[in-house]
Every structure is written in C-alpha cells, then in structure tokens.
Amino acid sequence: MGGLATGLSSIEQKDKIIWIGWSGLAADELSREDKRQIETTLKRDYRSVPVELTTQDLKTFYYGFCNNVIWPLFHYFPSYAIYDNSLWESYRRVNSVYLEKVLEAAGPEDTIWIHDYQLMLLPALIREKLPEARIGFFLHIPFPSFEVFRLLPWRTEILTGLLGADLIGFHAYDYARHFISSVRRLLGVENNMGYVQHENRLTRVDVFPMGIDYKKYSGALSNSSVQRQMQSAARELKGFKVILSVDRLDYTKGIPERLRAYEQLLEDNPQYRGKVVLLLIAVPSRTKVHRYRALKGEVDELISTINGKYGTIGWVPIHYFYRGFPFERLSAFYGLADVLLVTPLRDGMNLVAKEFVATHKDSGGVLILSETAGSAREMGEALLINPNNSEEIASALKTALEMDAKEQIERNVVMNERLGRYDIGAWTKDFLNKLSQVREVQEGYQVKKLAGAVKDELIAAYRRSEKRLIILDYDGTLVPLRTKPREAAPDPELVDLLKGLAADPRNDVVVASGRRRRTMSSWFGSMDLSLIACHGAWLKPKGQKWQLIEALTNEWKEQLLPIFELFKDRTPGSTVEDKEYALAWHYRNAEPELASLRASEFKDILFSVTGDLNLDVLEGKNALEVKHANVSKARAISLWLSRETWQFILATGDDNNDEVLFTQLPDSAYSIKIGLDISEALYYLESPTQLRQLLNEIAK
Ligand code: GDG
C-alpha cells in the first residue's frame, strides 16, 4: 500500500487519516509487551491501528478464504478454489473483527475507504452500525464474469456486503461491467447509469485505473543512488541486451509461460544467444499455500533447463532472483532494461508496467504487456500480447529487441503523458470526489422522500378536503412485482385498505392498470372504486359501467402478433400477452442479459413498424407493450381531472408509463413514485409497503 499512502498524502486533511489494518504478525505469537509496543509505535508514528489476527485466522482467513478461494476464482482459476465452509466462516469472523476496530475509530461523520478482496463484507457491516458514514470500496483485483463468480457458494453475501458502500471502484470497465451483471442476475437489481439501487440505497459503481507515484519513478534516473546501482549492475551485465521481468511469484503472473516464450526466442533466433539475458525477479509470496510452492518448483526447474540447454561458460541466459529489492535497486533494473516483459494470465492492473514506462520518461525501453492486465487498457502503445501464446510473445520480444530508438521513445512519451496526468494523487482525489458526489445524489433523493413535514402536510391537506381524487397504479405500486403476474392478486390487507378509502364519500379512488378489464372486475368489481384497465382503453367511473375511451380497432394486431411470437420463441422464458387493445411481451422470467439484448432489438423493430400505425410502444419493467396512441392512463385520468374541481389529488405509480400522468397534474397535486428512480413525481416512497402505510394513515 506504499502507493496508496503517497496518494492520500496529497489530499487536504491528510493529518486526519487513520489507517486500520493487519500488522503482518500473528497476534498469538507476540508477548503482551510486544503487542503494546507495536500498538504504540503504529499509533504514534504512522497513525495506524492494528487489527489482531491469530495464527489460526491467518490459516483460514488469509491463506484460506482470501488466497485459496477468492484470489484464484477472481483471477479465472476456478479449479484452484477450495469451497470450504469453515474458511468462509473465518472470513466472516475476521470482517467483523475489522468492524470492531472501525467502530472504535470512526463515527457517522467520517469517510471510510475499504481496500480489496479481503474485506468485501465490511461495507455492509459498517453500514448497519453507521448508516450515515461515507463508505468507499476499491477492488484491486479483477472482478470475474458472472459465469465464474456464480461458482462461489457465498456469492450473494459477497455482493450484498459490497453494496453497503456508497461507491465501489474497479481498475477497469470490464470488472465494473461484470460486477453489475452479477448484481443484476443474482440480486435482480438493475443499474441506472452506474447507480445500483439495493435495499433503498444507491451505490455508485465506477472505474478508477490506479496510477503510480509518477514523480518518484519518472525522476528515479536522476537520483544519485539509483545511478550508482545502475552503473554497478551495468558492469555485471557488460553489454548484454536486458529483458526484465518483475513480479510476486504467483500463478496468475504467467511466469512459466514467459520462460517458455523466452526459450522459444532463443530456439528460433540463434543470433540472440550470448547477446541477451533475462533478469527474472520473483518476489516470494504466500509461500504457505501449496500452489505457490508447486509453482516455485516449476519455475526453478524451467530456469535450470533453459540455462542448462543454452548457457555457455561466458553466458547465463536467465539471471534469477527469488527475492525483493529496495526501491533504488529496482529502479536501476528498470532503467537498465531494454525490454520489460509483463505477461500475467490475469492481473487487476499491474503497476510494474507503469513504473517501468515512467522510469523511461524520455528514453527508449520497450514494454511488452499482456492484454489481460488492467493496465493494457491504458497502455495501447506497448506491444500487447496474449499471455498464452508463446510464439506471439517470442515474436514481440524480437520486435522489441529490434525496434529503433526513435520509435521506442515516441511510444514512451505518449504513455508518459497519461501516467503523469492520472498519477496516484489524481486517482485518490478522483475516488474521494466521486464518493462525495454520490452523497449529493443520495441526499437529493432524501429531499424528495415523502417523510416528515411534507408527509404531515399531505395528511392535513387530505383531512381538510371535501373532494379528493386518489389515483393508484396497481402492479409495483400497491403490490410488489411478481414473477408470475397472476400471483399479484390483492391480499386481504389491501382489500381492507381499499374498502376503507372507498367508503369515505369524499373520495374517488381510481385503481389504474394495464391489466385486462376482466381481471380488474374480478379483483375490484365488488368495491366502490373507479377502475381503469388496459392502460386507459377501458374506464369504469365508480358506480357506472365499463366504457371504451373511444372506438378502437385491432387490425394492427394481425400484423404485429407474428413478430411478438418470434421474439417469444427467441427468448426462452418470455411470454406474449394478447390484451383487448394491446399486445405485451413480458421478459421478467427470461435470462436477463439475453432479454435485455432482445428487448433493445425488439424495441427498434417496434418503433419502425408502428411509426405510421398510430400506435405507441410502452417500455414497462421487463415488458414491452404496443397499444393505440390515443389510449393512455394520462388521457383517461384527464377525464376525471376535467370533470370536477378536486381539492386534493394524489397520484402514484412505479414505472415509465406513469410519468406522463405525473406531468399533467395540477401544481397542487401530490405525485409519488414508488422506488428510488429518476422521475417527474414530486416525491418518492421506497416500496408498496410504505405506500400502504401512508394510505392507512390518511384513511384513519
Ligand atoms: C495487486 C493486484 C494491482 C515488486 N517487486 C519489488 C517491488 N515491487 C512493487 C512494484 C509494484 C508492486 O510491488 C507490485 O504491484 P503490481 O500491481 O504489479 O502487483 P500485485 O502485487 O499483484 O498487486 C494488481 C495492484 O494490487 C494495485 O492495485 O495492480 O493487479 O494484483 O509497485 O514496484 N518493490 C520493491 N522491490 C521489489 O523487488 N521495492
């Protein structure tokens, strides 16, 4: 987290930052005195609070769930993941241990920024205790596609945990897209311009490609200590072309594949033997995990095979370091290298690639970069390769070794402009600014929420009025949306509520729906209500009979029905509803990605064929519907609006079809949207339950 500390050091109020994290030592192996001393030093010198993890936690949480489940799965190594419930329990427990430490340090006014895959439950845990806190989460590794993520037995808990945050950041657009798709498929929640609404909170999902400490790396070659290290390394490597490779020894980094590609280069191009060296720095990592030990064995063996096969007395093809180096020495290697070979099979970002290019701000040096690393999205001037294609890597190595100096510099200059602009300071500020903006958007919604004084005022207005019009949409407004529309019949509680409202002679209660007349009659016919069916084609003012809004024809259906049927067949799970004066295609039960693809295709077709037929295309929630252009809920309601002078008007609705109605109401009317969404309504309530509570209160 060195880079992150630098990023945060550039923000205002940096003195108020507190770090909370694991110290790297097992708490049960420390004496009480050691613990006390560590705690004091961390607090005094680093404004840090240690979280205590025991040897057992390290085994089951850190090596276990984090590095044997999440890490392999999120890097597309599903066969390496171990789905063991005791590891999950440990992950949950340790996230709660972090929660305790956060609660000791933070309050509702604070901003809490959580980092990485070890703490994906923490956002929701904190949200529960500190609902007002500003919570950001950043994932440093990839978020896998839904097909891979769904393999995780605890997938919904992880998503819900993350959605406790106000802002969730990823390195690359693809990761954000995968996350949104998993949220849609597993929680059934749609996103609107990157905002996800879950449990009546908005969470923003956005992309922040992490930058580096640009000044430090771009200025490294003028640092005298780096220069000294470079000279001494240059003496040892006496005139060889240097190919550099730097990473933690991790199976995601594609090290064996890289070695095989280098072998291929030597095999196919004998002219390079004795002329190039591969400087391979592999920093030891997670050595307690079996896969990492096995990888070490494989890498050691490959290196000795290649060195044995091609090496001569004066030339060792691969110089191998199984350790880390201080910054000065690492920068000297960056500066000295002719080529940096970065070939991860998957990598959230890969900062090494960026650091190398920054070090070569105005000098040559070629970057070969895997297209599956997050950084490839920003570094198109590098030689991009498929990490599984050793021929392609070998050929890129040849291109790099032969590239003329001018071209090398040109490529580096362009990449440096980008790296310099969006460095770690800019990244940090960007994330924190977006986090504040999310808060503003959420607060905007809070103003619109029908609560407190506005609600009291609405109730008072109702009580003092003698002529009241109450317009209630049905599905999604009075009852939650159901997978099977038939299951949404009014429950006894709703029947009582409507009867209660209808019993007051001062009220005209209109239940308006897109449903058929027959359904509306069977559900509500016995009550003293006004009804609107089929989106306004049929009206039934209270105490009267059903009437058609105007003479309507259905000839158009013959033309359109085959297209509806075609889309039904092409989208398993979807259905066609033939209404009296409308046709609807419902795709709520279809596979969501396919359905949304088909829906946009269908919409295009419908708009073009209905253009000269005086028909309207309605976009409902998981439905597309065609009806007469002259028929609408808004038009039907206008008959009620023009008939009387109402002293109190309340209109409610949950989807796009209700928006026109909201706009045509007089200024004094109360309009309420159900669900947190962009709307013309003056107010919103979160759910049908809340609307029912309100109606119960006014009817009292
Ligand atoms: C995770 C994600 C994402 C390496 N060797 C030495 C050394 N390093 C420093 C580098 C660089 C850092 O370690 C490695 O960062 P990477 O981004 O390359 O990779 P991960 O460790 O896997 O990091 C990754 C990153 O988080 C940030 O979000 O990019 O995708 O996996 O800064 O300079 N530093 C020193 N000596 C070494 O020998 N001093």
Side-chain angles (χ1 to χ4, degrees), residues 556-571 574-576 583-585 598 601-610 613 624 626:
W556 58 274
K557 274 194 186 173
E558 242 170 79
Q559 197 180 333
L560 292 194
L561 198 56
I563 315 179
F564 273 77
E565 294 291 348
L566 179 71
F567 272 85
K568 182 185 84 176
D569 294 340
R570 291 178 67 206
T571 320
S574 71
T575 51
V576 172
L583 279 178
W585 176 62
R598 292 273 189 267
E601 198 184 334
F602 197 8
K603 208 161 49 189
D604 273 355
I605 296 177
L606 287 177
F607 278 126
S608 64
V609 297
T610 54
L613 290 176
L624 279 178
V626 175

Side-chain angles (χ1 to χ4, degrees), residues 343-379:
T343 62
L345 302 173
R346 289 282 164 182
D347 211 336
M349 173 52 75
N350 197 294
L351 299 177
V352 167
K354 292 188 168 180
E355 292 163 3
F356 171 80
V357 171
T359 309
H360 289 272
K361 176 172 61 130
D362 28 42
S363 58
V366 182
L367 171 64
I368 299 178
L369 179 59
S370 166
E371 60 197 22
T372 48
S375 48
R377 274 75 162 182
E378 300 160 79
M379 304 179 94

Side-chain angles (χ1 to χ4, degrees), residues 120 158 212 270 278 298 379 468 551 557 668:
M120 291 189 283
I158 297 281
I212 55 167
L278 171 63
E298 187 187 354
M379 304 179 94
R468 310 165 183 143
K557 274 194 186 173
S668 59

Side-chain angles (χ1 to χ4, degrees), residues 133-152:
R134 206 177 278 199
I135 305 175
F137 180 92
F138 190 82
L139 187 72
H140 289 259
I141 64 174
F143 193 92
S145 84
F146 168 68
E147 282 305 329
V148 171
F149 182 70
R150 73 185 315 179
L151 300 175
L152 191 67

Side-chain angles (χ1 to χ4, degrees), residues 312-360:
T312 59
I313 292 192
W315 174 59
V316 182
I318 303 170
H319 291 224
Y320 175 36
F321 300 94
Y322 179 54
R323 62 183 156 108
F325 290 97
F327 162 75
E328 287 75 11
R329 184 100 172 130
L330 182 70
S331 298
F333 286 143
Y334 283 157
L336 198 73
D338 298 288
V339 179
L340 180 78
L341 186 56
V342 186
T343 62
L345 302 173
R346 289 282 164 182
D347 211 336
M349 173 52 75
N350 197 294
L351 299 177
V352 167
K354 292 188 168 180
E355 292 163 3
F356 171 80
V357 171
T359 309
H360 289 272

Side-chain angles (χ1 to χ4, degrees), residues 116-180:
D116 227 358
Y117 64 102
Q118 296 86 352
L119 299 175
M120 291 189 283
L121 301 179
L122 195 53
L125 291 176
I126 301 177
R127 176 69 59 208
E128 202 187 326
K129 300 286 178 195
L130 297 175
E132 301 306 321
R134 206 177 278 199
I135 305 175
F137 180 92
F138 190 82
L139 187 72
H140 289 259
I141 64 174
F143 193 92
S145 84
F146 168 68
E147 282 305 329
V148 171
F149 182 70
R150 73 185 315 179
L151 300 175
L152 191 67
W154 310 281
R155 58 203 185 177
T156 31
E157 289 88 339
I158 297 281
L159 292 182
T160 329
L162 288 169
L163 287 173
D166 297 304
L167 174 63
I168 305 177
F170 297 94
H171 279 309
Y173 172 69
D174 283 336
Y175 311 157
R177 193 167 58 76
H178 293 324
F179 174 75
I180 284 175

Side-chain angles (χ1 to χ4, degrees), residues 1-2 4-6 8-9 17-21 46-50 115:
M1 287 291 161
L4 188 58
T6 311
L8 284 164
S9 69
I17 295 171
I18 297 174
W19 295 83
I20 300 176
Y46 301 97
R47 297 185 60 83
S48 300
V49 178
H115 287 269

Side-chain angles (χ1 to χ4, degrees), residues 12-31:
E12 280 170 45
Q13 297 195 311
K14 55 177 180 279
D15 306 334
K16 294 192 179 151
I17 295 171
I18 297 174
W19 295 83
I20 300 176
W22 173 47
S23 70
L25 301 165
D28 51 340
E29 287 177 1
L30 298 171
S31 67

